[in-house]
Amino acid sequence: MSHKFKMTIMGCGNSAGTPSIGNYWGNCDPHNPKNRRTRPSVLVEYGDQNLVIDTGADFKEQMNRFCVENLSAVLYTHTHSDHIAGIDDLRVFRLRNKEHVHIYGTPEAIEELERRYDYMFEQKAKIYPQVLESHTVTDEQFGHEMQVNGIPFIPFEQDHGTCRSLGFRFGDIGYSTDMVDLPETSLNALKGIKTWIADAAGYKMESNMVHATLKELYALNERVGAEKVYITHLSPLMDYDRLMNELPDGYEPAYDGLCLYSG
Ligand SMILES: [Zn+2]
């Protein structure tokens, strides 16, 4: 059976990863390899094209672990450091291919990236070429299919508490990291998906300002209707086996290296 999209969860950890510095594993069993989690990133493969969502601090290691030698584009969910701190490693593709790397994000995300990493967007002296070319995903494009190098997807808006983030739909898989809630239009954009990779880093808290709790995710999925939900952006409080026991049918924790396919 051939699949159009292959999505690999390269990282399903929270901003500090698991273990965080000091070999802090929290409630996670250090002997379970599925508890070793890098910062959030997903590889999407479609035909001979690919793209990644976010370039966190573990980006280089992730690309090597999953043997990704080339890259068509980067989609940025938002500009918190755990999603962008590896941006400098995109330089390798510019030097190797002599082409800019195309990045996509909301207007405010692109503006911030261009300000914080200004040297990546312009030629700095002769030996430091421009690496990145930016493209904005505007409000008018939310909920509508767009294409990057022939890869079709639907971007949608997410409420991340202190800012908004982007979610993406590829075929019948949705990706919603870093969100506490979704507006109606985004729930509609997700309708009909079979699989949803979604943030519930708020876990069992009463509420969390920036991440959905499990209860909130269950309520959102009553509207979305995904058969299978993989929880991502996992904190060290969230042990893989314990979650497997606690979660209701249809819900599982993600892990680094999890591959999903969509027709
Ligand atoms: Zn994050």
Side-chain angles (χ1 to χ4, degrees):
M1 189 179 169
S2 69
H3 298 278
K4 275 193 193 158
F5 293 100
K6 178 183 178 189
M7 291 178 68
T8 305
I9 312 286
M10 297 202 295
C12 68
N14 72 352
S15 58
T18 307
S20 58
I21 289 178
N23 277 308
Y24 175 74
W25 289 87
N27 294 339
C28 288
D29 175 4
H31 302 295
N32 184 347
K34 287 180 175 165
N35 280 328
R36 189 173 283 278
R37 301 165 180 145
T38 57
R39 266 54 77 91
S41 182
V42 171
L43 168 69
V44 181
E45 294 169 85
Y46 181 84
D48 59 356
Q49 298 290 318
N50 63 12
L51 57 81
V52 296
I53 302 174
D54 294 332
T55 58
D58 301 308
F59 176 59
K60 179 173 81 76
E61 296 303 324
Q62 291 167 336
M63 295 298 270
N64 284 340
R65 176 179 172 193
F66 297 103
C67 303
V68 190
E69 290 175 16
N70 237 316
L71 195 57
S72 298
V74 180
L75 308 183
Y76 281 104
T77 57
H78 64 304
T79 54
H80 287 162
S81 268
D82 50 330
H83 299 258
I84 65 169
I87 195 168
D88 285 284
D89 284 314
L90 293 171
R91 189 163 173 267
V92 168
F93 299 109
R94 168 66 180 88
L95 297 177
R96 206 175 280 162
N97 302 330
K98 312 278 184 262
E99 283 175 5
H100 297 152
V101 178
H102 295 266
I103 67 164
Y104 294 77
T106 59
E108 66 270 24
I110 293 296
E111 192 186 335
E112 189 173 340
L113 288 170
E114 288 180 347
R115 182 172 52 76
R116 283 169 68 177
Y117 301 97
D118 60 335
Y119 54 88
M120 298 282 278
F121 293 89
E122 57 190 78
Q123 174 100 25
K124 289 271 188 191
K126 231 179 177 172
I127 57 162
Y128 300 124
Q130 177 183 347
V131 173
L132 304 178
E133 196 168 317
S134 49
H135 307 267
T136 52
V137 181
T138 60
D139 290 35
E140 291 71 37
Q141 289 169 293
F142 295 162
H144 300 288
E145 184 174 296
M146 58 182 285
Q147 293 202 358
V148 168
N149 288 353
I151 306 178
F153 63 91
I154 299 171
F156 54 88
E157 185 181 25
Q158 305 182 136
D159 177 0
H160 188 23
T162 56
C163 68
R164 62 179 181 171
S165 63
L166 283 182
F168 303 99
R169 174 176 177 163
F170 297 87
D172 53 24
I173 304 178
Y175 182 62
S176 291
T177 192
D178 295 70
M179 60 96 186
V180 66
D181 199 6
L182 295 177
E184 191 71 29
T185 50
S186 301
L187 292 168
N188 287 334
L190 283 166
K191 282 231 168 85
I193 58 167
K194 289 190 176 136
T195 309
W196 194 16
I197 307 153
D199 174 13
Y203 193 32
K204 292 179 181 172
M205 293 175 195
E206 208 38 57
S207 69
N208 181 289
M209 211 175 136
V210 291
H211 297 289
T213 62
L214 284 175
K215 266 191 194 163
E216 287 165 341
L217 181 59
Y218 300 153
L220 286 171
N221 194 41
E222 273 186 21
R223 313 276 309 279
V224 169
E227 293 160 19
K228 191 89 188 177
V229 179
Y230 289 97
I231 294 164
T232 194
H233 213 283
L234 298 157
S235 88
L237 299 176
M238 301 166 84
D239 176 71
Y240 185 86
D241 286 338
R242 189 191 292 192
L243 278 172
M244 283 297 267
N245 289 329
E246 283 176 357
L247 293 172
D249 284 354
Y251 288 78
E252 286 183 27
Y255 56 89
D256 287 18
L258 172 66
C259 291
L260 302 167
Y261 299 88
S262 168

